[in-house]
Amino acid sequence: MLLLLTGICLNVSGQDFCSLIKKEVSPDRTIYDFASPYDPAAEPVVRVTRSYGTNPDYATDNFFVIFRITGALESIYKMTDTGEIEIPEHKLVVEFDDQSKYEDDKIQISHDFTEDRMNSVRYIFYPLNDTTSKEFASKKIVKFSLAGFEQAVPPDSANAIEHYVQCMRDVKKD
């Protein structure tokens, strides 16, 4: 049985962030998916997801913070002699409320388009391991940047993200 430790996820106002996480379980009870709530139209879009499988032949545990920034459509392309090509981009920088930073300059930024195809979308599924999940579960994100494109994170969103990471870290596999 899976338990979310809700006691850890209560902030001073008493909001239970763990109860806001969407949980799906496969019919054979071997795949468990968790996702924080989000509004794809809101900025910034930062989500927390975790999916794991208990089947011994396909055991998995994928824990991510997803960062997303929209921008000008032409910002992800450059003109060459043969036409327009997509620019490969790297680098994630996350700044926390204690003035510490987390940087990864090797991770590739993915590109997409908004639904109306008028803007570009830069996004990254940043994997959390034991070390990084501790950091993201104990600090509030102030801002982040993807390939130099920066996005501030409002305090209420930062608080929620921190708690969602805490909740998903504490998922128990039984």
Side-chain angles (χ1 to χ4, degrees), residues 27-90:
D28 65 356
R29 304 192 61 76
T30 60
I31 306 283
Y32 300 86
D33 295 319
F34 301 88
S36 64
Y38 80 106
D39 178 358
E43 291 291 339
V45 176
V46 180
R47 270 180 95 181
V48 182
T49 65
R50 187 170 186 187
S51 177
Y52 67 85
T54 58
N55 180 331
D57 294 332
Y58 304 103
T60 59
D61 190 356
N62 299 304
F63 193 4
F64 296 102
V65 174
I66 304 166
F67 296 96
R68 180 179 179 267
I69 296 176
T70 58
L73 188 58
E74 57 275 357
S75 70
I76 61 172
Y77 295 104
K78 73 176 178 180
M79 188 58 93
T80 66
D81 294 339
T82 59
E84 224 172 37
I85 62 167
E86 192 173 333
I87 302 168
E89 296 180 314
H90 298 83

Side-chain angles (χ1 to χ4, degrees), residues 151-169:
Q151 180 68 58
V153 178
D156 59 333
S157 294
N159 185 50
I161 295 161
E162 177 185 25
H163 283 88
Y164 294 142
V165 173
Q166 289 172 5
C167 295
M168 289 188 212
R169 271 181 53 113

Side-chain angles (χ1 to χ4, degrees), residues 4-11 16 18 163 166:
L4 291 177
L5 299 177
T6 57
I8 292 174
C9 299
L10 295 176
N11 71 3
D16 180 4
C18 295
H163 283 88
Q166 289 172 5

